[in-house]
Amino acid sequence: MTTPDTKRDEDAVRRYVESLALVLSQIGMQRMSARVFAALMTTDEGRLTAADLASQLSVSPAAISGAVRFLEQIGLVAKEREPGERRDHYRLFDDLWYATFLKRDRMIIMWRDAAENGIDALGEDSPSGKRLAEMRDFLSFMLEELNGMYERWHKMRAEKNA
C-alpha cells in the first residue's frame, strides 16, 4: 500500500515486475513463479491475495495457485489467513534471504553426507572415491564459510538497523 506522500509510477512498476521476473526465469525459476515473486517484492505490504496477484499479473487464479505452491515449497513465500477471512494471503518471509539460504544449507549437508556414503562404498583411493572426497571436502568448506557469512550478515544488519 502506498501512503499519500509516496508517489509511484505504476506503469514503471509493472515494467519492473516483468523485468525482474525475466531475470529470475533466466536463472532457472519457473516463469509464473518469478512473476508472482516479483509482484510480492514490489508491493509495499509484501503480501497479496491470489485474486490480487491474478489481477495485477493479468492471469488466471489457477496460474497463481501453481506458482505460489512452488514458491512455498522452496521457502520464498508463506500462505496465511487472517481470522474470519476466507481468502489466503501470500507474503514474503521476514529476513527472506537468510531463511532461503539457510534451507540451502540443509541441502548442502545432505549432498555432502551422500558423498561421504559414496566414498565408503567406492573406496577413498579409487578415482571415483577421490572425486567424491573432493566434492565432500568442497561442500564442507562451503558450509563453514556460509556459517561465517551468516554471522557477518546478522552483525551488519544489526549495526545498520541500530
Side-chain angles (χ1 to χ4, degrees), residues 4 11 17 22 29 44 51 54 64 80 85 98 101 118 143 152 162:
D11 285 335
V17 165
L22 181 60
M29 187 180 285
D44 289 342
I64 299 299
E80 57 188 26
E85 283 194 16
Y98 174 74
F101 279 87
L143 286 165
R152 290 188 304 277

Side-chain angles (χ1 to χ4, degrees), residues 47-60:
R47 69 193 288 264
L48 293 167
T49 66
D52 293 335
L53 286 163
S55 174
Q56 181 177 338
L57 299 173
S58 300
V59 297
S60 72

Side-chain angles (χ1 to χ4, degrees), residues 10-137:
E10 292 304 323
D11 285 335
V13 172
R14 277 190 285 281
R15 284 191 304 276
Y16 176 71
V17 165
E18 294 304 324
S19 174
L20 177 57
L22 181 60
V23 169
L24 295 172
S25 65
Q26 288 173 336
I27 61 173
M29 187 180 285
Q30 299 168 358
R31 178 77 174 137
M32 185 53 61
S33 296
R35 291 182 73 210
V36 167
F37 181 75
L40 286 167
M41 284 293 291
T42 58
T43 186
D44 289 342
E45 299 86 356
R47 69 193 288 264
L48 293 167
T49 66
D52 293 335
L53 286 163
S55 174
Q56 181 177 338
L57 299 173
S58 300
V59 297
S60 72
I64 299 299
S65 176
V68 294
R69 189 176 319 111
F70 172 77
L71 292 169
E72 284 180 290
Q73 288 173 350
I74 63 171
L76 291 179
V77 300
K79 180 170 40 174
E80 57 188 26
R81 186 174 289 184
E82 295 293 325
E85 283 194 16
R86 296 179 63 187
R87 297 190 313 173
D88 292 327
H89 290 78
Y90 299 96
R91 70 168 177 84
L92 299 172
F93 282 106
D94 294 333
D95 206 357
L96 170 69
W97 302 111
Y98 174 74
T100 299
F101 279 87
L102 201 55
K103 281 188 170 190
R104 299 288 185 250
D105 273 11
R106 289 190 288 274
M107 289 181 1
I108 295 169
I109 290 168
M110 291 171 63
W111 199 0
R112 181 205 56 203
D113 293 349
E116 184 69 40
N117 292 338
I119 295 166
D120 293 342
L122 297 166
E124 195 162 350
D125 293 330
S126 72
S128 54
K130 288 178 182 177
R131 280 193 301 274
L132 287 174
E134 179 78 13
M135 183 171 80
R136 176 207 55 206
D137 294 347

Side-chain angles (χ1 to χ4, degrees), residues 141-155:
F141 170 80
M142 200 163 104
L143 286 165
E144 288 176 33
E145 291 299 308
L146 284 172
N147 286 333
M149 185 180 72
Y150 295 147
E151 290 171 16
R152 290 188 304 277
W153 165 249
H154 283 296
K155 180 181 177 194

